[in-house]
């Protein structure tokens, strides 16, 4: 009855030149574990449901996703012709699952986070499923460590007093990506947590909010689902998908559902990192086990010489790299592009990518 799925889209442009259109963040190994973020997300979800885990991703990633998840059947690999943001991707998964099982509890889990340990994550998800069973959209809250503006903020209130989900709290407000001043005030108040980018809910409740706030999008998804098991699937997807509204599930569902009192939060009692930029990777891999130096080295290239330096080196090129007396440096060496910055300025990589896109 629990149907977990993973929306996997978005490039992660703050990780350029490691992330590219054909090597999006979720397909990268950012922890040096040998698994991509997607593979690790999939493995964490295995065992939580009797049925399969569904993945929604772009057609252009189908081959790479299939390679990383060989056990995924064609039925559970849902492909979109172009990125239409998370409301379309998550909405399509929900619409398809509702046809298979109208009483399903769905779980949407972002493809591109580092979560540890898996056992703690699984206990939280199990509790979220029991809380969702009482007719709520359940989010997972992460204690904020900075006034980051790239996250959703959840204001939780009273305990719901559920025996089966003792940590579940009522949610008073959900605010997606507030401006910096607002985020500062939220963090200072101590009353807000970050949204971990995971939603556990009765499928009908998710869709009722999507249908209310984005009726055209929801109608488009219904047309696609109507054709899904027919020979017309591809033709209908190609026709309808480009017309869908681009918006995030957080605006389309989480904000209005919280305002209506239909959202709950279970605290995410585990290590959670969005790994949005190289500073985050630097935080995760403080010391490289291969060298004992405070330089983390990712990729296949071991030829890195460090002398009184700290930071992160990502390289698959085989070129010898020497760091001497530089602190918190970020070096990303790829065959056709070299990035040098510092952890402090890692956020600004996105601006460089944007200007590259503008100027070709
Ligand atoms: N298939 C598909 N297609 N998936 C998509 C698309 C798309 O066009 N766009 C986004 N996704 C997937 C992403 O891969 C990720 O798994 C999830 O949907 C969330 O999308 P992001 O684009 O990464 O959202 P965000 O990081 O800006 O914000 C979300 O995550 C934060 C935590 O990292 C929100 O839920 C925030 O509230 C949250 O704090
Ligand atoms: Mg994200």
């Amino acid at each position: 009855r629990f149907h977990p799925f993973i929306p996997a889209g978005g490039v992660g442009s703050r990780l350029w030149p490691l992330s590219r259109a054909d090597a999006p963040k979720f397909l990268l190994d950012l922890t040096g574990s040998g698994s991509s973020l997607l593979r690790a997300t999939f493995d964490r979800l295995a065992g939580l449901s009797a049925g399969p885990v569904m993945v929604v991703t772009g057609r252009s990633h189908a081959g790479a996703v299939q390679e990383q998840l060989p056990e995924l059947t064609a039925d559970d690999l849902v492909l979109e012709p172009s990125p239409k943001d998370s409301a379309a991707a998550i909405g399509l998964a929900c619409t398809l699952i509702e046809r298979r099982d109208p009483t399903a509890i769905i779980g949407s889990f972002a493809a591109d986070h580092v979560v540890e340990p898996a056992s703690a994550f699984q206990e939280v998800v199990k509790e979220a499923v029991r809380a969702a069973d009482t007719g709520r959209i359940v989010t997972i809250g992460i204690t904020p460590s900075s006034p980051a503006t790239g996250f959703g903020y959840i204001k939780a209130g009273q305990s719901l007093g559920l025996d089966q989900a003792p940590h579940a709290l009522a949610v008073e407000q959900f605010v997606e990506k507030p401006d910096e001043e607002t985020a500062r005030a939220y963090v200072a108040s101590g009353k807000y947590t970050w949204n971990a980018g995971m939603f556990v809910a009765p499928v009908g409740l998710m869709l009722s909010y999507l249908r209310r706030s984005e009726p055209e999008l929801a109608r488009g998804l219904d047309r696609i689902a109507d054709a899904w098991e027919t020979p017309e699937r591809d033709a209908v997807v190609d026709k309808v998908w480009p017309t869908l509204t681009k918006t995030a599930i957080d605006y389309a569902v989480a904000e209005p559902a919280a305002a209506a009192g239909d959202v709950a939060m279970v605290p995410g009692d585990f290590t959670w990192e969005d790994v949005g930029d190289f500073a985050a990777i630097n935080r995760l891999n403080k010391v490289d086990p291969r060298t004992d130096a405070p330089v983390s080295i990712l990729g296949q290239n071991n030829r890195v010489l460090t002398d009184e330096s700290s930071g992160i080196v990502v390289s698959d090129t085989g070129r010898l790299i020497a760091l001497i007396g530089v602190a918190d440096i970020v070096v990303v060496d790829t065959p056709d592009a070299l990035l040098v910055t510092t952890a402090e300025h890692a956020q600004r990589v996105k601006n460089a990518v944007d200007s590259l896109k503008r100027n070709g």
Side-chain angles (χ1 to χ4, degrees):
R1 218 161 92 62
F2 178 51
H3 295 250
F5 62 86
I6 306 173
V11 171
S13 48
R14 281 171 298 158
L15 293 173
W16 178 89
L18 197 59
S19 60
R20 303 287 177 99
D22 60 352
K25 180 179 157 191
F26 58 87
L27 292 176
L28 304 175
D29 169 15
L30 299 178
T31 59
S33 66
S35 298
S36 69
L37 297 179
L38 174 65
R39 177 76 236 182
T41 304
F42 192 87
D43 287 340
R44 269 199 304 281
L45 293 170
L48 278 173
S49 88
V53 177
M54 185 186 266
V55 175
V56 189
T57 193
R59 272 184 198 159
S60 60
H61 304 312
V65 167
Q66 195 73 77
E67 201 170 298
Q68 294 200 2
L69 307 174
E71 60 268 73
L72 199 66
T73 66
D75 262 358
D76 298 305
L77 178 57
V78 175
L79 299 174
E80 55 193 20
S82 62
K84 281 288 182 180
D85 213 329
S86 59
I90 293 171
L92 178 57
C94 289
T95 308
L96 293 174
I97 290 168
E98 190 187 42
R99 310 258 164 148
R100 298 180 192 175
D101 176 5
T103 66
I105 301 285
I106 62 92
S108 176
F109 299 90
D112 51 6
H113 296 143
V114 173
V115 171
E116 274 158 359
S119 53
F121 165 81
Q122 289 167 346
E123 288 313 308
V124 169
V125 173
K126 283 183 201 160
E127 182 164 1
V129 172
R130 294 191 298 267
D133 229 355
T134 65
R136 293 174 169 96
I137 296 174
V138 183
T139 56
I140 292 169
I142 305 292
T143 307
S145 53
S146 75
T149 54
F151 295 144
Y153 284 73
I154 299 168
K155 187 182 188 196
Q158 298 289 312
S159 164
L160 289 172
L162 300 172
D163 286 341
Q164 68 275 41
H167 305 99
L169 306 173
V171 166
E172 294 174 3
Q173 191 191 19
F174 184 108
V175 182
E176 179 63 8
K177 296 188 173 57
D179 61 29
E180 186 162 350
E181 199 188 328
T182 309
R184 271 186 202 291
Y186 286 171
V187 173
S189 77
K191 293 182 177 147
Y192 288 78
T193 56
W194 287 339
N195 169 35
M198 311 174 190
F199 298 97
V200 179
V203 69
L205 188 60
M206 284 298 276
L207 286 172
S208 73
Y209 278 100
L210 189 69
R211 287 175 179 137
R212 223 171 298 166
S213 42
E214 295 291 343
E216 275 181 54
L217 171 60
R219 262 197 301 278
L221 296 174
D222 274 323
R223 284 181 61 193
I224 290 172
D226 287 342
W228 199 256
E229 304 295 349
T230 76
E232 273 73 62
R233 179 201 289 190
D234 286 349
V236 172
V237 169
D238 283 338
K239 187 159 168 240
V240 174
W241 195 262
T243 70
L244 299 180
T245 313
K246 242 182 167 168
T247 185
I249 197 75
D250 315 274
Y251 299 115
V253 170
E255 285 191 346
D262 277 337
V263 176
M265 185 272 272
V266 175
D269 186 11
F270 43 75
T271 303
W272 178 91
E273 182 73 67
D274 182 48
V275 276
D277 59 32
F278 291 110
I281 300 178
N282 195 34
R283 279 196 296 278
L284 276 176
N285 310 273
K286 263 302 176 204
V287 174
D288 191 87
R290 290 182 273 190
T291 60
D292 264 350
V295 177
S296 41
I297 300 166
L298 292 177
Q300 300 305 312
N301 181 6
N302 283 330
R303 301 176 67 217
V304 181
L305 190 106
T306 70
D307 175 6
E308 288 195 25
S309 297
S310 61
I312 168 170
V313 175
V314 191
S315 168
D316 285 321
T317 62
R319 184 167 22 218
L320 175 63
I321 296 172
L323 304 182
I324 303 165
V326 282
D328 281 323
I329 191 145
V330 173
V331 176
V332 183
D333 189 27
T334 71
D336 63 342
L338 170 67
L339 169 77
V340 180
T341 182
T342 60
E344 186 190 345
H345 296 291
Q347 295 264 351
R348 286 160 55 184
V349 171
K350 189 179 187 307
N351 304 349
V353 174
D354 289 345
S355 83
L356 276 173
K357 274 191 208 141
R358 274 196 308 277
N359 306 320

